[in-house]
Amino acid sequence: MTEKYNEKNVARILFEDGVMFEGTTFSLAGDRISEIVFNTAMVGYQEVLTDPSYLGQSVVFTYPEIGNYGINDDDMESRQIFLDAIIVRSYNDYPSNFKSTKTLAQFLDEHNVLGIEGVDTRAMTLYLRERGACKAIISTSDIPKEKLLRVLKNSSNLKGSDYTKQATSSKLYELNKPNENSLNVAVIDCGIKTNILRLFEKHNCACTVFPSNIHYSEILNKNFDGLFISNGPGDPEPVHNVQEIVRKALGEIPIFGICMGHQILGQVLGLKVDKLKFGHHGVNHPIKNLETGKIEITSQNHNFVVLKDDNMGDTKVTHVNLNDDTVAGIENKKLKAFSVQYHPESAPGPQDSEYLFENFVTLMSETG
């Protein structure tokens, strides 16, 4: 049971190995069980909060003070907050920003999300880097630690669960009415960020956004110029319906995937996907474009990654992460499909990789 608080509550963050951190609430009180990850962005907390890829997770912000510029109506990346809790060193309840309409605490209250402050976030980040992203129970109750540990260890894991079913839209919708010069894009919503759709509009694309459970015939039987597979939360392995859509569409129409879409395309092309130790979450990740040799600073939010294979056939690696040499982009020119493991639409983050939308538009135009 979660209730609004009248005064600050002590909050315990307890991991499966018994390690515990403490802080106090600045939004709500109650219990949550989720995977804890850290995000290294200095700005953009509203975009992080509304990124559906964080479903089932709680975020530790490494930047020490959060809440400075409040919440505004323009920076929403989805219809709601999808994560369970945010954990910060210091919360600022007096925002200074002409666009601000409410405080961060008010925003969290509205969406039933815990806010914890006063935590040694540097120590917690070092712990997560050493141990890896892992489950924890966040509790403002006085339940004994031993009982909380039993509850935590009996809870389910992100791996093996299809979280896109909770993040996707409930029904089909259309954006940007087509004109004689526009391209028609079928978008599979696995937990899409709004700025992706803004950039398609910027590039004169009319989008039909489908829930992730749509049947592939709804796409292949219509006159779409391309198929886009969005970002989304959790493990790509159990997202069987979207895999089937991509499998049927490969070679039929151009395909572009971001994050979850990248992982699903990789799986369909015969590559394996594995979980990273603590994932990539932030706006300062260097990516090398192997075709141009240029370095892009990118926005990232994912725990899973496509693995390189010595027998990739017509599929090739196009981008690599310079922090850990993981695969950050793949392409199969023969099948007119490509994808990246990061967020070229940014929001938040640098805009170095927006050219990928232009590449997709060019590919659709040439194919059509």
Side-chain angles (χ1 to χ4, degrees), residues 17-139:
D17 60 0
V19 170
M20 187 169 71
F21 295 83
E22 288 191 355
T24 57
T25 59
F26 67 88
S27 170
L28 302 181
D31 294 350
R32 297 286 190 278
I33 295 176
S34 62
E35 185 174 63
I36 311 291
V37 299
F38 62 87
N39 186 296
T40 58
M42 296 177 68
V43 294
Y45 57 78
Q46 182 173 342
E47 292 92 329
V48 169
L49 284 165
T50 55
D51 180 351
S53 295
Y54 281 111
L55 179 67
Q57 296 178 322
S58 293
V59 175
V60 181
F61 286 100
T62 61
Y63 189 71
E65 189 161 347
I66 301 294
N68 300 31
Y69 51 85
I71 298 294
N72 68 76
D73 297 330
D74 296 332
D75 293 337
M76 296 288 290
E77 282 302 312
S78 66
R79 61 190 180 274
Q80 66 183 65
I81 300 177
F82 281 88
L83 50 74
D84 294 322
I86 64 170
I87 302 164
V88 305
R89 182 73 182 109
S90 177
Y91 166 65
N92 184 344
D93 199 41
Y94 300 94
S96 177
N97 178 5
F98 75 97
K99 294 173 66 176
S100 177
T101 59
K102 65 189 72 171
T103 67
L104 173 56
Q106 290 170 330
F107 189 49
L108 296 178
D109 285 344
E110 290 173 4
H111 292 271
N112 196 35
V113 174
L114 291 178
I116 312 298
E117 66 172 334
V119 178
D120 187 343
T121 51
R122 178 177 291 184
M124 184 178 285
T125 300
L126 291 172
Y127 168 81
L128 292 171
R129 280 185 59 87
E130 180 65 28
R131 192 174 189 273
C134 49
K135 287 190 304 178
I137 184 166
I138 304 171
S139 178

Side-chain angles (χ1 to χ4, degrees), residues 316-348:
K316 67 175 183 178
V317 175
T318 57
H319 300 74
V320 294
N321 188 309
L322 294 181
N323 284 338
D324 57 12
D325 201 37
T326 53
V327 174
I330 58 173
E331 180 182 36
N332 189 306
K333 288 187 176 180
K334 184 177 180 180
L335 296 173
K336 300 181 176 63
F338 71 99
S339 60
V340 290
Q341 184 58 84
Y342 49 95
H343 284 269
E345 84 287 350
S346 60

Side-chain angles (χ1 to χ4, degrees), residues 130 132 220 237 246 350:
E130 180 65 28
L220 296 183
E237 194 282 326
V246 173

Side-chain angles (χ1 to χ4, degrees), residues 227 246-247 249-257 261-262 264-271 291 306 309 311-319 327-340 356 359-360 363-364 366-367:
L227 172 64
V246 173
R247 191 172 290 109
L250 263 179
E252 299 293 326
I253 56 175
I255 298 176
F256 175 29
H262 165 77
I264 287 174
L265 177 62
Q267 287 180 308
V268 173
L269 290 171
L271 303 177
E291 293 186 339
V306 172
D309 194 313
N311 300 305
M312 295 178 64
D314 293 320
T315 302
K316 67 175 183 178
V317 175
T318 57
H319 300 74
V327 174
I330 58 173
E331 180 182 36
N332 189 306
K333 288 187 176 180
K334 184 177 180 180
L335 296 173
K336 300 181 176 63
F338 71 99
S339 60
V340 290
L356 291 163
N359 289 357
F360 187 45
L363 182 59
M364 288 190 289
E366 293 175 348
T367 303

Side-chain angles (χ1 to χ4, degrees), residues 258-275:
I258 288 176
C259 286
M260 172 68 76
H262 165 77
Q263 296 157 13
I264 287 174
L265 177 62
Q267 287 180 308
V268 173
L269 290 171
L271 303 177
K272 293 181 179 179
V273 173
D274 199 7
K275 190 174 184 181

Side-chain angles (χ1 to χ4, degrees), residues 198-251:
R198 294 190 194 105
L199 287 179
F200 274 126
E201 180 180 18
K202 176 181 176 180
H203 290 86
N204 196 28
C205 293
C207 295
T208 303
V209 184
F210 294 93
S212 63
N213 62 355
I214 196 74
H215 193 268
Y216 64 83
S217 62
E218 292 293 314
I219 294 168
L220 296 183
N221 291 346
K222 294 184 172 128
N223 191 30
F224 288 109
D225 297 298
L227 172 64
F228 174 78
I229 312 298
S230 85
N231 61 292
D235 186 353
E237 194 282 326
V239 190
H240 302 301
N241 190 65
V242 182
Q243 293 172 27
E244 183 67 8
I245 292 170
V246 173
R247 191 172 290 109
K248 295 291 185 181
L250 263 179

